[in-house]
Amino acid sequence: MRPRENLGRAMTGWVQGAFQSYSSSAAAAQPQRALEENAVTEPERQECPVCAYNEWDPLEEVIVGRAENARVPPFTVEVKANTYEKHWPFYQKYGGQSFPEDHLKKAVAEIEEMCNILRMEGVTVQRPEPMDWSFEYNTPDFTSTGMYAAMPRDILMVVGNEIIEAPMAWRSRFFEYRAYRPLIKEYFRKGAKWTTPPKPTMSDELYDQDYPIRTVEDRHKLAAQGKFVTTEHEPCFDAADFIRAGRDLFVQRSQVTNYMGIEWMRRHLAPDYKVHIISFKDPNPMHIDATFNIIGPGLVLSNPDRPCRQVEMFEKAGWTVVKPPTPLIPDDHPLWMSSKWLSMNVLMLDPKRVMCDANEHTIHKMFENLGIKTIKVNIRHANSLGGGFHCWTTDVRRRGSLESYFH
């Protein structure tokens, strides 16, 4: 083994201690140059580049997803449970293939314009790596092709100075984390905490293979009974099922987030944060932010079609609960993985500025009445891939402090 002082010259901090425990054969096989190039050093005492406590503090840096190379997920039981029956023929025909080429090009252009507008508003924009999602991959438990890296809100959540990488429930998203790893590693090197919960095996036991959905009525009945396509075989959750309000986070049990996943988050974040389970009259629960979107301290948009069963809890705490207007998106516009209520899936740039759909004139009026300026952007084709502005982004840094807004 090389002398300790040589290792000390190669790296500092905790990395030095880690390498001291290597076996002599491993150390001998590692060239000194490689050690120097790959050294992760103790970050300098400076402000962490990752910090967000809620959904509305002034936004300074954000990750925006990519539509490039997006693929239709294979039509498996978990995908079927999260999509509406009218779209099933689309999945049966195109599962594992690219989304329609012309539609995808328009979505890419829309998101590029969205990034430009965010930059003009003073926000630093980061992007995941472009990747080829067409490759078929095999694990001991399943075979699938990939999907996309379009919705960073689903896979990444920042709580304080920590990035949490969600153990998502769709098999087509098993390797989605790879598109974000260069970014996350860079944040880690600069001082951010980085946590990855247990990676689910996604074996057949995680899913109710006979989940009985044929109609919207079936879905309402099953959701009301607390029955979902995901079981409690192992923890799983999508980060987009959580919404932050300082020391309190709110989450729903959904088709992609199970109670084991929620309990993992509750234990992980305790005692500094409290995780509250809330529920809705929702026939197709998948992600909370088009149903219950917190947009300010004590201010929340609550979907009138999917009322919150615990709304009195918020009203008693002094919150203002606003019901957004009915969306204006045409019936013939394809929304393969979402509902029209993406109109309320907005991104707060600060408490008085919101990025929202340029076509939704009635919601513009609602925000004006709340004293909030609208930053209007058209991402109608990008909506078709399953998300609005909140879904297409993960806020990395918001200027604010940890406070309690819920009593």
Side-chain angles (χ1 to χ4, degrees):
M1 181 178 286
R2 293 184 177 91
R4 180 176 297 181
E5 54 269 26
N6 288 344
L7 279 175
R9 285 196 292 270
M11 40 193 63
T12 60
W14 58 266
V15 180
Q16 180 186 28
F19 274 97
Q20 287 172 359
S21 66
Y22 275 18
S23 67
S24 58
S25 59
Q30 181 72 295
Q32 182 72 22
R33 178 181 230 174
L35 288 178
E36 292 171 349
E37 290 176 352
N38 292 306
V40 180
T41 60
E42 184 71 26
E44 295 179 8
R45 296 288 182 182
Q46 60 183 5
E47 184 179 355
C48 183
V50 170
C51 189
Y53 297 106
N54 56 49
E55 309 290 338
W56 64 83
D57 276 341
L59 182 62
E60 296 182 340
E61 185 164 336
V62 69
I63 299 172
V64 179
R66 287 190 179 275
E68 288 89 339
N69 306 323
R71 312 284 291 188
V72 180
F75 194 51
T76 51
V77 64
E78 73 273 18
V79 173
K80 184 177 181 180
N82 283 284
T83 53
Y84 287 102
E85 185 179 5
K86 66 180 181 180
H87 296 310
W88 290 351
F90 173 83
Y91 284 95
Q92 289 167 333
K93 181 177 181 179
Y94 295 106
Q97 302 178 46
S98 174
F99 280 94
E101 184 177 354
D102 183 60
H103 195 105
L104 207 54
K105 286 182 179 179
K106 292 176 180 177
V108 170
E110 288 172 349
I111 297 304
E112 289 298 325
E113 178 64 9
M114 173 184 163
C115 290
N116 290 335
I117 293 172
L118 281 166
R119 295 184 186 105
M120 289 172 60
E121 294 294 327
V123 180
T124 298
V125 175
Q126 305 287 1
R127 310 293 302 277
E129 293 292 305
M131 300 193 74
D132 183 354
W133 302 103
S134 65
F135 288 105
E136 184 177 89
Y137 48 84
N138 295 275
T139 81
D141 297 289
F142 69 91
T143 299
S144 184
T145 50
M147 187 170 152
Y148 55 31
M151 309 293 163
R153 185 74 56 175
D154 298 356
I155 188 171
L156 298 175
M157 176 167 55
V158 171
V159 181
N161 67 349
E162 177 180 14
I163 299 176
I164 299 173
E165 192 179 292
M168 297 188 294
W170 282 22
R171 287 171 166 176
S172 55
R173 308 187 77 173
F174 189 80
F175 287 110
E176 193 167 316
Y177 69 88
R178 297 177 69 247
Y180 298 94
R181 278 296 170 85
L183 272 176
I184 298 176
K185 286 191 290 186
E186 186 61 26
Y187 289 134
F188 178 72
R189 290 187 180 103
K190 292 179 178 178
K193 292 175 67 177
W194 172 16
T195 301
T196 302
K199 186 76 171 171
T201 62
M202 297 186 182
S203 64
D204 288 347
E205 289 82 2
L206 181 58
Y207 313 100
D208 181 351
Q209 301 292 335
D210 300 313
Y211 193 65
I213 47 169
R214 289 200 176 98
T215 66
V216 172
E217 290 73 22
D218 288 340
R219 294 167 183 261
H220 270 296
K221 183 178 179 181
L222 290 163
Q225 294 173 349
K227 296 180 179 178
F228 305 92
V229 71
T230 46
T231 69
E232 299 298 327
H233 176 66
E234 58 191 347
C236 66
F237 63 83
D238 280 16
D241 264 331
F242 290 81
I243 200 100
R244 301 159 302 171
R247 293 192 180 275
D248 297 277
L249 286 81
F250 302 93
V251 63
Q252 67 170 350
R253 196 334 181 168
S254 75
Q255 303 288 15
V256 293
T257 296
N258 63 12
Y259 289 121
M260 283 190 76
I262 295 171
E263 181 60 21
W264 189 94
M265 280 289 282
R266 176 177 282 148
R267 296 183 195 180
H268 177 70
L269 294 174
D272 295 325
Y273 301 89
K274 293 181 180 179
V275 176
H276 309 265
I277 298 176
I278 54 178
S279 61
F280 309 90
K281 187 180 179 182
D282 186 354
N284 190 42
M286 180 185 178
H287 302 161
I288 201 171
D289 49 3
T291 299
F292 202 75
N293 197 359
I294 300 174
I295 62 170
L299 180 61
V300 62
L301 301 183
S302 183
N303 190 324
D305 281 359
R306 309 169 195 163
C308 177
R309 295 189 177 98
Q310 295 81 18
V311 69
E312 289 185 1
M313 178 174 70
F314 294 90
E315 292 171 342
K316 287 180 179 178
W319 285 44
T320 300
V321 180
V322 178
K323 295 179 180 179
T326 302
L328 301 177
I329 190 167
D331 290 338
D332 61 354
H333 186 77
L335 289 172
W336 296 303
M337 287 185 282
S338 55
S339 75
K340 292 183 178 183
W341 284 102
L342 289 178
S343 59
M344 62 176 282
N345 189 266
V346 297
L347 178 69
M348 301 304 297
L349 304 189
D350 59 39
K352 295 298 179 181
R353 287 184 301 159
V354 61
M355 180 169 278
C356 59
D357 191 328
N359 305 287
E360 296 287 341
H361 308 297
T362 53
I363 208 167
H364 302 164
K365 186 67 175 178
M366 181 204 76
F367 281 118
E368 289 170 11
N369 292 337
L370 292 170
I372 298 172
K373 178 184 176 182
T374 54
I375 310 299
K376 303 175 184 70
V377 186
N378 181 14
I379 59 166
R380 189 54 58 85
H381 292 84
N383 286 159
S384 300
L385 302 185
F389 297 98
H390 200 251
C391 299
W392 276 93
T393 58
T394 284
D395 34 332
V396 173
R397 190 172 65 256
R398 290 184 178 272
R399 190 171 65 253
S401 57
L402 179 59
E403 298 182 35
S404 179
Y405 305 96
F406 189 79
H407 302 283

